[in-house]
Every structure is written in structure tokens, then in C-alpha cells.
Amino acid sequence: MVSIVASVAWWARTEPQRLALVYADQHLSYGELHHRVECMAAALSARGVGAGDVVALLMKNSAAFLELSLAISRVGAVFLPINYRLGAEEVGYIAQHAGVRLLFADEELSASVPASIPVVWVDTAAQADSRALGTAGTAGTAGTAAKSSVRETQSEDLYRLMYTSGTTDRPKGVMHTYSNMAWKCMDHITALQITKDDRLLVVGPLYHVGAYDLPGLALWVAGGALVIERDFVAERALAVIARERITGAWMAPVMLDRCLTSAERSMHDLSSLRWLIGGGERTPEERIREFSAVFAQARYIDAYGLTETCSGDTLMEAGREIEKIGSTGRALAHVDLQIMDDEGSRLPVGTHGEVCLRGPKVTQGYWRDEAKTRASFFGKWFRTGDVGYLDAEGFLYLTDRKKDMIISGGENIASSEVERVIYQLPQVAEVAAIGLPDAQWGECVTAAVVLKPGHSLSLQELRAHCSGKLGGFKTPKKLVICESLPRNPSGKVLKRELRAQLAQTP
């Protein structure tokens, strides 16, 4: 049975001094990491935690987060990372719905922990080394119960629950098996040509698939190292890339933008970086060119994936970035991708429809929710809810999410098409096109724009720019200047939240 725990143990046995993890001022070898995981597993077993129990983490990035996630797997329990930006009511719903037996939470996040949940508090010392948890955590060495549970783990056993961000409804618990994780790691290692000499910078939150999975812990399968930052600070990320000779990274678009515009971007030797995975939105050509200017030896990889698929289903291929601008690349080796209509029939090349996926890294469904599971599949094909098309070479182009389609005067309008035109304005830093209620048209096309410093934009200027580039019914009738756009951790604009905010705007 393939598992990340088994991979760490193998590297600890064969190359115990090889670097596995960097956090704060400590550099952990595979031997040291393996020992900490064994200690934590023994402590969990001593508390009665075992196969099938759900153990949650409400923690920011740290060495302990990763040590705990592996120890939970080590005893056959189910790992549940929770978004630490949620409020206590939301955390309580997830814990209740998932049936959480035990929660590990950073002390600084105490306001988000309902009193009803059994909790082990993680202080600063324990964040750097889970053994500091003492009797509540990692006292002693791993016992026979922890060891036997790994050997008994089967490929279709549940490895992790991840609750979606809930952009349209209550969060849904996505189920990931050991098989899902193993195939994810295999595909990412192959596509990115990851070796034991690679070092991955992790600046996104580890409760999210972008940080944990893209490619995330696949580095430990290959014998590489993870370099963890507790919080993202652009200047610190640039310094770490230079100091630790980082070879790869995943960043949400807003993170990358801050690195590219940082005054310190030219102060560091960034030549070690081979690739950086972005995604979460369609990448403007300007950003790709800016990236190449700052990271001269690296390539920018646009990507597409979902929580339901352990992330990273398509990746842009080297040398095709500009030629295929607007595409998120082609499907990975063990991912099948088709564009389908509302009845589940495949659509021809170039036809817009719903992006559907199948393969061994795709979830089997949602935890304790058979109705939503059934609604999310055409047979074995997972319905992503994203709208796009494939070109003749199989490159995926995303055009919208079904729920983000603007319907004005009976016409369907892809918000991404409107955004593409507005992005051409030199004063625009960010834009999101949405539909707001309108008595005459049903929905009014509205542009929410974040301006670059020192610039201005009027509705008249915006409409004049769109004239001739968009049909009249697609041209925004309303412009709202915003300081920022609400986004989830992967960088996607939360348009439901934005619509709710702007609905109050006169």
C-alpha cells in the first residue's frame, strides 16, 4: 500500500540524514521527521485514537501541522484540516458533520474553537516540534498499535476529509482515499520531473490543496524537501528562495503579484527556481512576461484542479505558455477530461460545456451526503461545475463557472470574457465581472475593479474601451471601484460574496 508515511519511513531508513523539512530556524532530516511522527502516533494510540477516527487540525503552517498529519495517518485515523480563517460557528458545523473525535488547534486561534469540541492546544514551542505537546501529544515512542495500523491500511481507506470553501452552499466534506493521494503524487512527480534534489517552498495555507497537494507532500515520496513558511510575506518568500535554493513553488495569484512587484525582487539570487505553479484564475500574458523577467531560469505553470481531485489535473507544458495563452494546459497522465452538456453527452472540440473529470485521484464523493454525491457525477465522470472547452490538441480553456454566468436580457454572458477585455486597460490591477439584480434586464453586467496606485477610471471610459470589443449587451452598465476582491486561498474570486457586497452599493 502506497502512503506518504511509508515513503518518509523508507527515506529515513535508507538516507536518514537527507533534508526533509525546513521550518523557522530548524532543518529536519528524514530520520528526525520519522522519529517525530512515530512519537506522535504512539501518543494518539495511547489516547485511544485509531482506525476510522476523524482527527482535525485548526492550525496555521508549522512543522507540527505536517508531523500531526502523518501521525494521524500512521494510526489509521482520518486527517481533517480546517480553514483557520473560519469562525467558531463554521468550525463547529464542520466538526459536527465530520464526527471529529479530537481537534489540535493553535492557541492563537482559540476564538474559532467551539467549547463542545475536545481540543489539544498547540503553543509556539509545539508548532516547531510536536514532541513539545507532552502527555497530550508525543511523549514516548511508537508502539505496536501504531505500527500495525499502517500495514492494515488499504488503498480505498479514507486518508483525509477536506471541506470545500462553501461558495454556493454549506461546506461539503470531500473524501480522499490513500489511492487518490498515491495517484496524485505519481502524476505530479512525473509531470514536474520531481527528484530527491528538489526543494519546494510552501507559502500557501496547508489546510488547502494548493499547499498540501500541488505538488506538496509528493516531494516526500520522491525524497525532496519542504520549506514551510508560517505566513506569506513576499519579501521573506524571495529571501527564502535564495537562501534555501528553492526549485519549485505554488502560489495563489495575489501572492505571485506581490513577489513580482516587491522592491526587493532584484536583491536576491533567484536562479535556483525551476518552476512555479499558479492558477486559480486565467493568467494574463503580462503576468507571465513579468514572471520571466524576475525568475529568469524558471517557467510559470498555469494549472487547473479542484479539492475533489487532490488538485493539479492539468498543467501547462514547457514552451507552450504564450502560444496557448489563456489555457491551463493538458490533462495529466491518469486524468481523463471531457467537455459535456447538461445531459452528460460529450461535446466536440471547441464547444463550450461543463468540464468533467475521471480517474484514480478523483474523489468518490462527499462525506455523509449521498444526494450531493449523486448530483456531482455523470456515471464515473465528476462534474466540476466549470465551463470551458478543449482545443484540437487537448488544451483546456476555462470560460466560467456555471453559477457565475451572467444572464442579462435572456442572454448568457461569460464573465471571463468581459474581464479579459477590461484587463487590457493599463490602469486596471484586478477585475471581476458579475451580474447584479436589475428590474429591466434581469441582471446588470457590473465590473468590480481594483485600480493600480495613482490611477482612475470612469464608467464612461470603461464603456468606451469595451465598445467594439464586446457586444453591447456584454458591456458593463455599472462600475464599482474596490480596494480588493474577496478571494479563497487558491486565489479564486468569491463572486457570491462579491455580489452580496455590491448588492448594497447604490
Side-chain angles (χ1 to χ4, degrees):
M1 170 53 219
V2 177
S3 77
I4 297 170
V5 173
S7 293
V8 169
W10 188 86
W11 287 107
R13 185 172 72 250
T14 59
E15 296 189 44
Q17 298 307 313
R18 172 167 288 281
L19 181 67
L21 176 63
V22 178
Y23 176 70
D25 59 351
Q26 56 180 335
H27 289 62
L28 288 183
S29 69
Y30 274 95
E32 292 166 326
L33 174 62
H34 176 63
H35 174 69
R36 292 187 182 187
V37 172
E38 294 290 276
C39 289
M40 188 66 234
L44 288 172
S45 292
R47 294 180 66 99
V49 175
D53 290 331
V54 178
V55 179
L57 303 185
L58 186 70
M59 299 170 62
K60 299 178 75 173
N61 290 7
S62 65
F65 186 108
L66 293 173
E67 293 161 17
L68 286 165
S69 74
L70 295 192
I72 292 166
S73 172
R74 185 77 167 93
V75 299
V78 180
F79 163 47
L80 167 59
I82 299 179
N83 183 342
Y84 58 76
R85 296 185 174 98
L86 299 179
E89 182 178 340
E90 296 166 300
V91 172
Y93 169 81
I94 291 173
Q96 183 276 328
H97 187 268
V100 168
R101 173 165 181 172
L102 184 65
L103 170 71
F104 287 86
D106 287 340
E107 286 186 338
E108 66 192 83
L109 302 174
S110 60
S112 298
V113 179
S116 59
I117 304 177
V119 61
V120 174
W121 297 107
V122 184
D123 61 16
T124 303
Q127 290 160 12
D129 183 346
S130 57
R131 291 173 298 182
L133 290 169
T135 55
T138 60
T141 58
T144 56
K147 291 180 180 178
S148 63
S149 66
V150 172
R151 291 197 299 270
E152 294 167 1
T153 300
Q154 302 300 310
S155 62
E156 296 309 314
D157 285 347
L158 196 57
Y159 170 80
R160 178 178 64 184
L161 288 174
M162 293 192 81
Y163 277 73
T164 62
S165 56
T167 53
T168 59
D169 199 353
R170 278 285 202 176
K172 303 185 292 289
V174 178
M175 298 185 289
H176 292 147
T177 65
Y178 281 86
S179 179
N180 293 152
M181 294 298 295
W183 285 100
K184 176 213 80 74
C185 290
M186 181 186 299
D187 271 358
H188 289 173
I189 288 170
T190 301
L192 297 169
Q193 300 179 26
I194 295 170
T195 74
K196 65 181 182 180
D197 296 322
D198 278 307
R199 294 188 176 193
L200 180 73
L201 175 64
V202 180
V203 289
L206 283 166
Y207 65 73
H208 185 268
V209 288
Y212 197 90
D213 291 354
L214 189 56
L217 272 63
L219 269 285
W220 282 349
V221 176
L226 301 182
V227 181
I228 307 297
E229 285 288 291
R230 184 163 179 80
D231 298 290
F232 173 77
V233 177
E235 291 70 24
R236 198 164 65 212
L238 292 168
V240 170
I241 290 173
R243 185 181 70 245
E244 300 295 338
R245 308 305 295 160
I246 298 297
T247 61
W250 172 88
M251 288 188 187
V254 66
M255 295 176 177
L256 178 58
D257 283 345
R258 290 176 184 173
C259 287
L260 297 180
T261 58
S262 170
E264 297 184 12
R265 64 188 183 279
S266 61
M267 296 170 56
H268 302 284
D269 178 4
L270 305 174
S271 61
S272 63
L273 195 72
R274 294 194 297 112
W275 49 263
L276 185 145
I277 301 174
E281 61 184 28
R282 294 182 65 181
T283 305
E285 181 176 346
E286 292 75 14
R287 183 184 295 147
I288 296 176
R289 297 193 183 279
E290 290 170 3
F291 175 85
S292 298
V294 175
F295 300 97
Q297 307 301 317
R299 66 184 182 103
Y300 179 83
I301 304 175
D302 217 332
Y304 170 72
L306 306 97
T307 300
E308 286 86 348
T309 62
C310 303
S311 194
D313 300 306
T314 70
L315 296 176
M316 178 53 66
E317 295 162 18
R320 311 294 300 271
E321 297 88 352
I322 302 302
E323 172 197 356
K324 297 291 185 178
I325 189 70
S327 171
T328 62
R330 286 192 278 199
L332 301 190
H334 298 96
V335 175
D336 290 333
L337 190 158
Q338 291 290 338
I339 306 299
M340 297 186 173
D341 63 18
D342 291 341
E343 283 70 48
S345 297
R346 299 184 187 186
L347 295 172
V349 166
T351 305
H352 293 244
E354 184 171 6
V355 180
C356 295
L357 302 165
R358 71 178 178 186
K361 73 185 193 74
V362 177
T363 182
Q364 295 179 359
Y366 299 108
W367 181 249
R368 296 177 174 173
D369 201 329
E370 293 184 6
K372 287 179 180 175
T373 296
R374 287 194 302 271
S376 298
F377 284 87
F378 286 133
K380 292 185 177 181
W381 290 91
F382 178 74
R383 305 179 61 183
T384 68
D386 290 317
V387 177
Y389 66 93
L390 294 172
D391 70 10
E393 293 185 272
F395 282 81
L396 174 65
Y397 291 78
L398 299 173
T399 54
D400 225 314
R401 284 196 62 81
K402 282 191 169 183
K403 63 177 177 290
D404 289 335
M405 193 72 75
I406 302 168
I407 304 177
S408 183
E411 294 282 354
N412 289 343
I413 302 169
S415 61
S416 61
E417 187 177 4
V418 180
E419 291 160 1
R420 176 183 57 80
V421 172
I422 297 175
Y423 261 124
Q424 296 170 3
L425 285 164
Q427 59 266 54
V428 172
E430 299 178 72
V431 61
I434 61 171
L436 292 181
D438 184 90
Q440 181 178 2
W441 299 101
E443 285 187 328
C444 167
V445 181
T446 302
V449 171
V450 177
L451 294 173
K452 294 178 181 178
H455 289 78
S456 62
L457 180 66
S458 68
L459 178 60
Q460 182 179 2
E461 292 172 318
L462 173 63
R463 289 179 60 82
H465 168 74
C466 293
S467 178
K469 298 181 178 69
L470 291 172
F473 70 96
K474 297 180 182 180
T475 299
K477 297 179 175 63
K478 186 173 183 179
L479 168 66
V480 180
I481 304 300
C482 306
E483 291 186 3
S484 63
L485 300 178
R487 295 176 181 271
N488 70 8
S490 67
K492 291 182 181 179
V493 175
L494 298 172
K495 290 192 174 179
R496 185 183 70 151
E497 184 175 326
L498 183 62
R499 280 192 289 268
Q501 293 175 2
L502 298 191
Q504 309 302 318
T505 304

